[in-house]
Structure formats: structure tokens, C-alpha cells
Amino acid sequence: MRSDEIKTGYHRAPNRALLRSLGVTDKEMNLPFIGIANAYNTIVPGHTHLRQLAEKVREGIAAAGGVPFEFGVIGICDGIAMGHEGMRYSLPSRENIADSIELMVQSHRFDGVVGIGTCDKIVPGMLMAAARCNIPAIILTGGPMLSGHHEGKDTSLIDIFEGVGKVAAGTMTEEALCDLERCAMPGCGSCQGLYTANTMACVTEAMGMSLPGCAAIPAVDAAKLRIARETGEAVMTLVKKDIKPRDIITEKSLKNAIRVDMALGGSTNTVLHLMALATEAEVPLTLEDFNILAESVPHICSMQPAGPHSMQTLYHAGGIPAVLKRLESYLDDSPTVSGKTILQIAKEARVINAEVIRSSEHPIHVAGGLMILFGSLAPDGSVVKCAAVPQAMWKHTGPARVFDGEQPAMKAILAREIREGDVIIIRYEGPRGAPGMPEMLSPTSALMGLGYTKVVLITDGRFSGGTRGPCIGHVAPEAAVGGPIALVQEGDRIAIDLFEKKIDILVNVPTLEKRRKNLKPHTRKLTGVLARYANTVEQANMGAVQR
């Protein structure tokens, strides 16, 4: 056991003395030591219940013959951080989480580790740490929030964001928005739709790093407590059999995760996180792989925000095992932390509601829900949730409306200075330029709330999983490193074509080169975490990992 390095032999008497001060018994000294990385806190709705889940994980570890040791991990609520300077700190927290788990695991020589988290950067950070440390590991995701209910309709956080646009448009009163605000989010758990937090939970299960069914179980359901206990027991099996994350996180399993992502029409952020995870696990993966898989896998679940179904609805329809069953013929068989292979899980699953989880013969769309676009505006790629783009906007050419940052763009949107047909360019919001590649749910939701239907939004930053409409993010290279998006001027014609997977600036090369010679990149004065991050972060097409 790795933990023997801190507890075996006379020369480890000082180490053992410290362990005994914790209440560790003689018998426990001979058992595997298991770390529990818990993202519990009382500011993030998706994390506020994790302390109770951790207790069940501890019970499971102890019952299966291990000794649990719990430690804390930070977690940022992107919804609370959205729309102001705080959002620049969200993506950098992913690296902090991975680093902090690595520090704890390696310092204390744990034999295995359980990651307990929900939300956008926490689960990716835990997966990255698992691949990096490569000791037996399993992830327990905290589960989605129940749907809100307002005037006979299910509601979620996105209704609030879009309500801001409706107030600006004069179609909703502030009092009505306040009423909606009070009932849209009824309790603990990750935001209700297939936004980034829940998409990451789904792909974690699909790649085999959490137990079958874990992703969709609501945070408040007793089934979540039961699977927490089973997760504690399962990590002990992994330790005894010496099954490590890199045995599970392989090219096959990552491609299975992408296939499930495509079938669900998940968040664009999963492209960023899966690329980062592939880097940590040393698995070959490119942006083009996403397009290749998207073309072969149908979009079979119409999930919020593009469709009507919440995670709660997906759970009652059979959850991710049922999705795997529908995709059985598309999947590569690979091991999972449950001891079953992914195809065994698929074969044993049952589709309870065929309207929610459709067959491949009757899909929502014949191709997957995400798409990578390349072209003169994004030579190294960009990402769009094509499942959330109306067919009429799959091909569009319009004049650029250029903004150096999210706030001036938001001001122009709310002031109704944007016209139908415009292509909004928000730049200097990339990994290095922002820094931190902030999500932009506020401007995209404002556009929806104001009733725009023919406006494209393009950015070198990111979009929330709650974004819908023709919104293209992760443009690489970003403006801060001299990418073509930095050369766009007001009124330039921008063309997008999702049918051809293209995104272009319709300006000739000599003109662009002349602009490049006169380019003075926008810079920010940075200190602390953001300064260190900006100096070390790679581009979005590389997963925005730190060098």
C-alpha cells in the first residue's frame, strides 16, 4: 500500500503518532487510507448538501475495509460569479482544484481517493487530478436541483437570466421578475437543465468514472445517499484490484463521453474540459474528433435550455444508463469504476420514457449537439452548441459589431443598439486576455429576453451551458495573442456556415495584414492568481490548461 510510506516501520513512529492523535486505531493502521476530496461549502447551491453525501461515502469506505480522511476543495458558483469581474476567476479555479487534490494525495500517500463535487469547474478539476495522480479514484457528483415551478410551468435559472432581457424590453415588470426569482431555484443541487455542471456529471458517468445512474439522480433524492454509500464501497474494490484512472480514462472512454455529450446536446464547455482531461491522461484527442463523432451520433434528448426536458425528467426516463442503451451500437466497450463495462451497463439499462430519450431512428437531430467551426476567423477552431441554434440561423452573413469585453456589449444590447442580422464580436475575453475565459450567459440571455432571433454572438471567451441560439465561443487563437478576431473592425462582414462548419471574416488577406501591423492588443493590469494564470495558460483549443 502507498500509505505504508507514512505508517510502516520504526522510523515512521512520528508519522504514526500524528495519525493516532486523529483517533486512528492499531487495526486501522493496517488498512488502506482513502482521501475524500469534498467541495462542500455554503455559498454554492450545488455544494451545500455535500457534507451529508460525504458522511455516506465515509460509511461505505469504512464498511469495505478502508480508513477515510476528508479534506476540503474550493468551489465557485458560476451563476453568482456571472456578469462581473468574479467570472474571470472561475476557469482558473479548475487548475487550483486539480493542484490542491494532487498536493493532498501525494503528501499523505493515500491509497485511493473519492472526489465529491458538482458544478462547472469542480468535477473537471477532480477528474484532472485523478488522471494526474493515477491512484484508484472515483467521482461522486452531487446531483441536479429539482425544477422550480411558477404559474403552472417548470422553471430554472435560465428563466431568470432571460427575464432580465424581458424587463429591458418592457415585456416583463421588475415585480414579475422578482416573483419568478423567488421560486425558480427551490433548493440544493446543480442548476436544473443540461448546463455545464450536469453535462460534466453525465460525461463523467459515460467515461466510467462514476457509478451507473449517478449523474441524473436529484440532489435531494434518497437514491443519491445510497449511491454515495456505494461509491465509498466501490473505491475500496478499485484499491484492492489496483484499478487506476488511466485504466478507465482512455481514448475509447473519452470518445464514449463525447458520444453521450453529442446525444444529449450538452454544454460547449465540455469540449474545453475533455481536452484538458485528455492532456492530463496523455490520451490523444483533437477538436476534429468532436466533429467526426458528432457526424456519427444522433442528438436524441431535447434538454434544457434548447428543449423542454430537465435533468429531473431525464432521471425519471432512465438516466444516463438509458442513454447508453440507445447508443449501444455506437459505443466502444471500456471498463468503468463499477466493475461492469460500459456495454454491460447499456445492455442492463431500461428506457422508461421513449419521448425523453429517443431512439436513433427518431432523433431530435440526425447529428450530435455540438460542433467545431474552423475558418479565417478561427483558424484553430471555435465551438457552438448547434442543437440550440435554429435551423434558419445555421447559415448567416452580417456586419460585425465589435466590443472589447463583455460589459460594453451588454450595455449595447440592453440599450437596443443591436439590430437584427448583426454579428456581435466580444473579444479580449479569452484564456489569456480576460484572463480566465469568462462565461457570458448575461448577454446571450438578454438577447433571448429582448426577442432577437437573427443575431449571432462570437467570442474568444466562453458561454454558459445555459446559452442557446447562434452563439460561438472558444475562438482560437484569441485576440490577446493576435488571433484574427483581434483584427475585426466595426462593419466587417462575418459569415458563419454550420452546414460546412465554417466561420470566416470576409476581409482580404492584405487588408488584414495591414491591420496586424498597426495592432495594439488590449491589455489589463493583473496581480495575484490572474497574473500567474495569464502567464501560463494555453489556448482554448488546447483545453486552456496551464503550462
Side-chain angles (χ1 to χ4, degrees):
M1 292 187 295
R2 270 173 40 113
S3 59
D4 286 343
E5 296 177 38
I6 63 170
K7 63 186 183 183
T8 300
Y10 72 89
H11 55 295
R12 293 301 181 207
N15 309 64
R16 288 195 299 274
L18 289 165
L19 291 166
R20 292 185 192 281
S21 75
L22 301 172
V24 176
T25 67
D26 287 343
K27 179 181 178 181
E28 288 175 325
M29 286 290 185
N30 298 314
L31 299 177
F33 282 7
I34 310 298
I36 301 174
N38 188 0
Y40 162 79
N41 61 54
T42 59
I43 183 63
V44 182
H47 295 171
T48 190
H49 65 301
L50 297 185
R51 184 161 56 183
Q52 186 179 18
L53 296 185
E55 291 172 358
K56 301 301 289 187
V57 171
R58 290 170 66 93
E59 289 176 13
I61 291 170
V67 185
F69 295 91
E70 187 176 345
F71 59 91
V73 173
I74 68 164
I76 291 173
C77 178
D78 283 9
I80 297 174
M82 196 79 67
H84 55 83
E85 286 297 307
M87 194 64 218
R88 304 189 191 284
Y89 291 84
S90 179
L91 185 58
S93 75
R94 185 188 70 183
E95 294 0 80
N96 179 288
I97 290 160
D99 290 349
S100 66
I101 293 173
E102 178 190 5
L103 291 168
M104 292 296 287
V105 163
Q106 301 295 34
S107 298
H108 300 103
R109 313 312 291 164
F110 291 128
D111 299 299
V113 64
V114 179
I116 307 176
T118 318
C119 299
D120 300 36
K121 310 309 166 300
I122 293 81
V123 171
M126 289 179 170
L127 287 168
M128 290 165 66
R132 187 186 301 174
C133 298
N134 203 33
I135 66 168
I138 189 169
I139 305 297
L140 172 67
T141 51
M145 187 184 296
L146 296 180
S147 295
H149 198 72
H150 181 68
E151 296 182 351
K153 297 180 180 179
D154 286 344
T155 58
S156 75
L157 179 64
I158 305 309
D159 295 293
I160 308 299
F161 272 98
E162 293 188 2
V164 173
K166 291 178 181 179
V167 170
T171 59
M172 176 182 276
T173 66
E174 289 189 48
E175 291 76 14
L177 179 60
C178 190
D179 288 342
L180 181 59
E181 166 193 330
R182 288 191 174 97
C183 57
M185 312 291 286
C188 66
S190 50
C191 300
Q192 301 99 325
L194 194 68
Y195 317 138
T196 306
N198 290 323
T199 307
M200 281 308 305
C202 293
V203 299
T204 299
E205 184 179 330
M207 76 176 69
M209 282 299 291
S210 61
L211 292 180
C214 184
I217 300 172
V220 297
D221 198 303
K224 184 60 75 175
L225 295 175
R226 293 193 292 270
I227 206 166
R229 165 75 182 231
E230 292 164 356
T231 296
E233 295 170 354
V235 74
M236 292 307 302
T237 301
L238 296 173
V239 169
K240 290 168 186 175
K241 294 184 177 181
D242 196 31
I243 298 172
K244 299 184 177 73
R246 294 196 189 191
D247 299 321
I248 294 170
I249 303 172
T250 63
E251 185 174 358
K252 285 184 177 180
S253 73
L254 285 178
K255 288 185 175 179
N256 283 340
I258 294 170
R259 290 180 179 109
V260 168
D261 196 2
M262 294 298 176
L264 293 170
S267 166
T268 53
N269 284 315
T270 54
V271 177
L272 195 74
H273 298 321
L274 289 176
M275 290 297 295
L277 178 57
T279 298
E280 293 287 0
E282 299 181 278
V283 172
L285 191 69
T286 68
L287 288 184
E288 193 56 49
D289 288 324
F290 287 83
N291 275 343
I292 292 170
L293 293 168
E295 289 171 358
S296 64
V297 177
H299 174 214
I300 60 173
C301 297
S302 187
M303 302 291 294
Q304 295 174 353
H309 302 310
S310 67
M311 286 296 293
Q312 185 179 348
T313 302
L314 181 67
Y315 170 60
H316 291 302
I320 295 305
V323 176
L324 295 174
K325 189 171 190 68
R326 290 297 203 196
L327 298 179
E328 190 174 341
S329 62
Y330 300 92
L331 301 172
D332 293 318
D333 206 11
S334 58
T336 75
V337 291
S338 70
K340 298 177 181 179
T341 70
I342 205 74
L343 286 182
Q344 285 176 316
I345 294 168
K347 289 181 186 299
E348 294 172 6
R350 184 166 68 96
V351 178
I352 299 170
N353 189 330
E355 288 300 311
V356 175
I357 307 173
R358 296 193 186 186
S359 68
S360 57
E361 291 78 23
H362 301 93
I364 311 299
H365 300 105
V366 295
L370 295 177
M371 186 182 291
I372 310 299
L373 308 181
F374 294 93
S376 58
L377 189 61
D380 292 336
S382 58
V383 186
V384 62
K385 184 190 284 194
C386 54
V389 180
Q391 196 79 0
M393 288 300 292
W394 273 47
K395 188 172 184 177
H396 178 78
T397 300
R401 303 295 307 279
V402 182
F403 301 95
D404 290 343
E406 177 187 6
Q407 293 305 320
M410 186 66 176
K411 183 178 179 181
I413 291 168
L414 292 178
R416 303 301 296 264
E417 295 173 3
I418 304 301
R419 297 179 296 273
E420 290 282 22
D422 284 350
V423 178
I424 298 172
I425 303 287
I426 301 179
R427 62 191 181 190
Y428 295 104
E429 295 288 14
R432 192 173 300 177
M437 208 178 176
E439 291 182 350
M440 297 179 198
L441 183 55
S442 294
T444 60
S445 297
L447 287 169
M448 292 294 108
L450 285 164
Y452 287 100
T453 60
K454 296 179 181 179
V455 172
V456 176
L457 201 159
I458 299 171
T459 182
D460 52 9
R462 297 181 298 127
F463 293 117
S464 162
T467 292
R468 60 190 178 99
C471 301
I472 301 163
H474 304 203
V475 169
E478 64 176 300
V481 299
I485 193 171
L487 308 177
V488 181
Q489 293 184 2
E490 190 83 7
D492 285 347
R493 303 292 288 176
I494 305 295
I496 65 164
D497 189 337
L498 273 61
F499 298 103
E500 297 294 329
K501 302 180 178 65
K502 298 284 289 180
I503 179 169
D504 291 305
I505 175 173
L506 304 183
V507 176
N508 62 54
V509 173
T511 300
L512 291 178
E513 287 306 312
K514 183 177 180 181
R515 290 180 188 179
R516 183 175 298 282
K517 291 178 182 178
N518 298 317
L519 180 64
K520 295 180 180 179
H522 181 80
T523 60
R524 299 176 188 274
K525 184 177 180 181
L526 302 171
T527 60
V529 170
L530 294 185
R532 293 193 297 273
Y533 184 81
N535 287 332
T536 58
V537 69
E538 296 281 9
Q539 290 296 286
N541 61 303
M542 305 283 288
V545 294
Q546 288 185 272
R547 297 188 298 273

